[in-house]
Amino acid sequence: MDVTMNDVNSGQGRVQVRFVTSSPDIELPEGKRQLLVPTDAGRYKLSQLLNSDYMLDTQAPIPFDFLTNGTFLRTTLDEYLVSQGLSSETAVELQYVRSLIPPLFEASF
Amino acid sequence: RTHLDPSDTLELRSAADARQQWIHYESLTRDLSLSLTEQLRLILAPTLATKMRGDFRTGKRLNIKRIIPYIASQYKRDKIWMRRSVPSKRSYQIMLAVDDSKSMGESGSGSLAFETLVMVSKSLSMLEVGQICVVGFGENVKVAHDFETPFGSDAGPKIFQNFGFEQSRTDVTKLVRESIELFRTARTKTSSSPADLWQMQLIISDGVCDSSEHEPIRRLLREALEERIMMVFVIVDDVRNKKKGESVMDLKEAKFVKDESTGVSKVKVERYLDTFPFQYYLIVSDVKELPGVLATLLRQWFAEVVESSN
Ligand SMILES: [Mg+2]
């Protein structure tokens, strides 16, 4: 099948994200911190992205929480940008931390 | 008590600012402009060594094919000479499209874009090879200087007044679509013959747009190519003000791709430039590099056009 037909991102916006953390053991190498991410991504997708082999390449997935300006991200990036009056032209800094509450999606693994 | 309306003074001030800004960039890029002008002169000017053609009574070289008929006619059919035919003068319509979106200001690429705009537009106006148009783009496309207006000394500052790097989107698809329209209109208004008219666009931008646009852009670029409109994308990448991994050369993009058989979505990370739709693009991190790389690219393009039309 055509690859583009599988691409669920078409028509979606993108935003430049910078992933930072204060935990040295899960820190990304400098060249991998900057990434264009679909704006429909929320905590689940962002967590999936960080665990992927391109990023942290974790053995077992670590559930992450994300903070923007000290506040937990509970919506999609798009909704966050709109609520803050920002556009996808502005790079977003996301601080990631290990999630303290076992997330629901872990059950599906 | 002043008779001036406050909004008028505001307008005047911004005009004064724009003028100052233009002068600043002009002095920064003066030497580079001259260097670019010299390089472009060689490329854009019509080639003088055109073919020798017959048939004339006097000329520079004998036309061998005419010799036998000449003798057979007892020297009456004496148009046996060839002359260098006068080259037709090429004329150009060149559009500079400058990214006016917010990312330009945020990434620090704005001043590099201005340096590029000033340098290129100055060079082109010095060359006097044709008409120059400047547009700004982002969410919308705005003409800051149209083809019909001569590029005088006041043109630059007026153009600068149109840029603020505040537009909240970077719609390159729209830019390409509307540029093609502008070129079509400009073509109908020109007096030069269609074969001698060359249309060219330089897009000056940080290069980041939604990659979902890449395919529609590719389709529009084919349309432009068929109408012999050349589009060059100059990516300004101010690496001096960027952290590692922020350069457009290193920029990666995450995609979530659904596996149709299992329904599981998987992460795919690609290099952003791998799907970049423009065939002719160059990356400039220092404006000093531009005259050289731009000249090389244009030379290559002309060589390809000449080859394909032969
Ligand atoms: Mg932009």
Side-chain angles (χ1 to χ4, degrees), chain B residues 27 42 67 71 81 97 100 107 114 120-121 150 170 174 213 224 250 266 282 292 297:
Chain B
S27 67
L42 298 170
I67 301 294
I71 299 165
W81 293 94
D100 188 35
S107 64
F114 275 164
V120 177
S121 61
T170 314
K174 193 177 204 172
E213 288 186 53
D250 307 324
K266 285 180 75 178
L282 40 97
L297 187 136

Side-chain angles (χ1 to χ4, degrees), chain A residues 6 8-9 14 36 48 89, chain B residues 101 103 170 252-254 256 265:
Chain A
N6 292 342
V8 290
N9 306 298
R14 308 284 195 282
L36 278 170
Q48 187 191 0
E89 295 282 323
Chain B
S101 73
S103 64
T170 314
K252 305 281 196 312
E253 175 172 10
F256 293 89
S265 107

Side-chain angles (χ1 to χ4, degrees), chain B residues 44-109:
Chain B
L44 301 181
T47 43
L48 292 167
T50 48
K51 281 184 186 160
M52 306 283 277
R53 283 200 291 194
D55 315 285
F56 301 98
R57 285 209 173 81
T58 59
K60 279 227 182 260
R61 195 185 294 166
L62 277 168
N63 187 347
I64 304 300
K65 280 187 280 181
R66 298 277 175 266
I67 301 294
I68 305 250
Y70 172 57
I71 299 165
S73 70
Q74 297 179 349
Y75 312 107
K76 276 179 191 140
R77 290 162 73 177
D78 59 353
K79 288 181 181 171
I80 56 171
W81 293 94
M82 295 196 292
R83 286 181 190 167
R84 213 175 278 284
S85 59
V86 182
S88 55
K89 191 163 164 56
R90 281 185 192 164
S91 75
Y92 294 85
Q93 284 175 333
I94 300 173
M95 188 191 297
L96 302 174
V98 183
D99 188 340
D100 188 35
S101 73
K102 220 166 188 163
S103 64
M104 294 291 288
E106 304 231 345
S107 64
S109 296

Side-chain angles (χ1 to χ4, degrees), chain B residues 15-160:
Chain B
D17 283 351
R19 174 164 298 279
Q20 208 151 30
Q21 212 179 11
W22 180 267
I23 290 167
H24 166 72
Y25 284 108
E26 214 173 29
S27 67
L28 268 183
T29 57
R30 183 163 291 127
D31 293 347
L32 292 167
S33 273
L34 290 171
S35 145
L36 181 64
T37 307
E38 286 322 302
Q39 301 200 47
L40 291 183
R41 195 187 301 283
L42 298 170
I43 302 165
L44 301 181
T47 43
L48 292 167
T50 48
K51 281 184 186 160
M52 306 283 277
R53 283 200 291 194
D55 315 285
F56 301 98
R57 285 209 173 81
T58 59
K60 279 227 182 260
R61 195 185 294 166
L62 277 168
N63 187 347
I64 304 300
K65 280 187 280 181
R66 298 277 175 266
I67 301 294
I68 305 250
Y70 172 57
I71 299 165
S73 70
Q74 297 179 349
Y75 312 107
K76 276 179 191 140
R77 290 162 73 177
D78 59 353
K79 288 181 181 171
I80 56 171
W81 293 94
M82 295 196 292
R83 286 181 190 167
R84 213 175 278 284
S85 59
V86 182
S88 55
K89 191 163 164 56
R90 281 185 192 164
S91 75
Y92 294 85
Q93 284 175 333
I94 300 173
M95 188 191 297
L96 302 174
V98 183
D99 188 340
D100 188 35
S101 73
K102 220 166 188 163
S103 64
M104 294 291 288
E106 304 231 345
S107 64
S109 296
S111 62
L112 190 51
F114 275 164
E115 283 179 66
T116 306
L117 168 68
V118 174
M119 180 179 80
V120 177
S121 61
K122 282 287 288 180
S123 291
L124 292 172
S125 65
M126 277 191 273
L127 276 171
E128 296 182 314
V129 288
Q131 297 171 310
I132 302 165
C133 164
V134 179
V135 303
F137 72 96
E139 201 161 9
N140 295 303
V141 180
K142 190 177 174 194
V143 179
H145 182 96
D146 62 32
F147 280 122
E148 276 146 273
T149 311
F151 205 93
S153 59
D154 60 333
K158 271 191 184 145
I159 288 167
F160 261 21

